[in-house]
Amino acid sequence: MNEPKRTRRQFLETVGAATTASIITGTDGARTSLGTENKEKLAIDGGTPVRKTPLGYQAYGPQFYNEVEKREILEVLDSKKPFRWWKSGSKTLEFEQAYAAHIGVKYAIGVTSGTTALSAALAALEIGPGDEVILPAWTWYADYDTVVLAGALPVFAEVDSSLNIDPTDIEARITPRTKAIIAVSLQGCPADMAPILEIARKHKLRILEDFSQCVGGRYRGKYLGSIGDIGISSFQQGKTITAGEGGAVVTNDPILFERAVRAHDVGSLRSPYKESLGGGRIPGFAASNFRMNEFTGAILKAQEQDLETICNALRRNTRKVREGIADLPGLKMRKTPDLEGDLGVTVFLDHGTRQRRDQFLRALRAEGISASPPGGSAILPIDERIEKKVTVHPDWPSFNTPQGKAIRYGSECCPQTIDVQQRLGGVIMDPNFTDDDITDIVKAIRKVYLAMYAV
Ligand SMILES: *Cc1c(COP(=O)(O)O)cnc(C)c1O
């Protein structure tokens, strides 16, 4: 699965050849601009930085808090009823209905977090001891932890240079016990759902979409969350819209929805879901409490109205940066399966090696632009507690089956993921960057890129 690794010299030769070619044969504009930019001294080497005041992104949702959030939350205070079941006009219900309509699914249930949404979705899919679930090796802990908490066995697949699960590495991980694939859309980039769906159909597997880091993202015209069997998102502060914490489960399947509702509320089915699901079709079962309160519902109802505004602003800003650097010779960007549906959270370049990536990020920061490696996730198989398969009890079912005992995590199970995660890096975008900010980002990336890579 590994892409062929190139030595530094080979890389510089390739880039160098491309640079020379474009300087000699490019249009006049490109030639002049590449030629003069080339001579600029980097801030990291004592040159003048592009910006005096450093530029960085902030949490997206809170930047859009306004009178609507204030009004909604005051209404909950005035009602004296912060618990959703004991009132009419539930804010949480209104949020769920608006969110389901936005994403294009029949059902949505609000829960306390993305993590508890995952637990409810796994319960809906009836995943438990003896089952295996495939997930990307680079993602947030919750995808692994909730599978273990369900008693099932997490099996990692590699990510590719989109930083999402590599569809070509899924089939090798399937066994007769595999029950589901968690298709995670990370740092604003949609997972490549078409090949994943095809594999799932072929092997009769369920797809759980985790679009926590891509709320509002689309794939081939459909919103993430509406493509797999069931979807989950988080509304923690780092996500597109937020109430600080919160989550949701979405689906078109009434049975999966009923199980998710029961899983989130001590196995019960209360109004209005009892009515909307025709009284319910499955018996209750042992479950937890992941219920969303009315304060969270009120904020999310208001935030939901800003979702397209946030996504469109992000996409517009990212497109401008991409256009501003598109002519850089040898440029390799983070891969995406759908540029239109991608949220545009990152402008990440593929630098080929960790050393060059880190050098690039350091130089960009010196220019006054905050620059980052991939974030918001971890390479899970090399996390110590995962590598050691630590659980709350030594007899935990996940690792007591022959498969659970045999499975080996650690760096051997995800060399491609480690490589990709170390090669990529760049700028994390903000919906409220101004045109001047965008100009500075473009200027800084061009300056550092040409200084590093042009010969
Ligand atoms: C944030 C996140 C979660 C968990 O959400 P919480 O609300 O923090 O529990 C799950 N999956 C992914 C991909 C996430 O980014």
Side-chain angles (χ1 to χ4, degrees), residues 336-384:
T336 179
D338 188 329
L339 200 51
E340 292 286 307
D342 194 297
L343 279 193
V345 170
T346 64
V347 175
F348 279 176
L349 277 55
D350 186 342
H351 301 276
T353 69
R354 171 175 213 156
Q355 191 196 12
R356 276 198 303 272
R357 191 270 311 267
D358 291 347
Q359 194 188 341
F360 184 88
L361 297 183
R362 268 196 307 275
L364 210 52
R365 278 183 214 120
E367 300 297 337
I369 304 293
S370 104
S372 325
S377 293
I379 302 172
L380 297 180
I382 61 172
D383 188 277
E384 198 185 341

Side-chain angles (χ1 to χ4, degrees), residues 113-115 118 139-140 142-143 184 186 210 212-213 232 234-236 239 245-246 376:
S113 71
T115 304
L118 280 163
T139 185
W140 184 240
D143 292 311
V184 196
L186 292 156
D210 179 351
S212 295
Q213 296 185 17
I232 75 98
S234 163
F235 307 113
Q236 182 270 342
K239 322 296 168 152
E245 299 278 8

Side-chain angles (χ1 to χ4, degrees), residues 15 18 32 41 45 51 99 109 115 178 203 224 230 267 269 279 288 298 319 325 347 386 393 439 448:
V15 170
T32 323
K41 192 172 178 187
D45 297 327
R51 281 181 75 95
Y99 194 55
I109 183 89
T115 304
T178 308
H203 297 272
L224 296 171
I230 194 163
L269 188 64
S288 193
R319 189 172 58 241
I325 62 173
V347 175
I386 293 175
H393 192 283
T439 304
V448 174

Side-chain angles (χ1 to χ4, degrees), residues 120 123-126 254-264 282 285:
L125 295 171
E126 297 175 81
I255 294 287
L256 293 183
F257 186 63
E258 183 178 342
R259 289 188 69 87
V261 171
R262 288 186 184 277
H264 108 294
I282 55 168
F285 51 86

Side-chain angles (χ1 to χ4, degrees), residues 127 144 167 195 296 327 339 355 371 386 409 418 429 435 439 446:
I127 283 164
Y144 166 89
T296 302
D327 65 319
L339 200 51
Q355 191 196 12
I386 293 175
Y409 299 137
I418 295 169
M429 298 297 293
D435 283 348
T439 304
R446 296 186 71 87

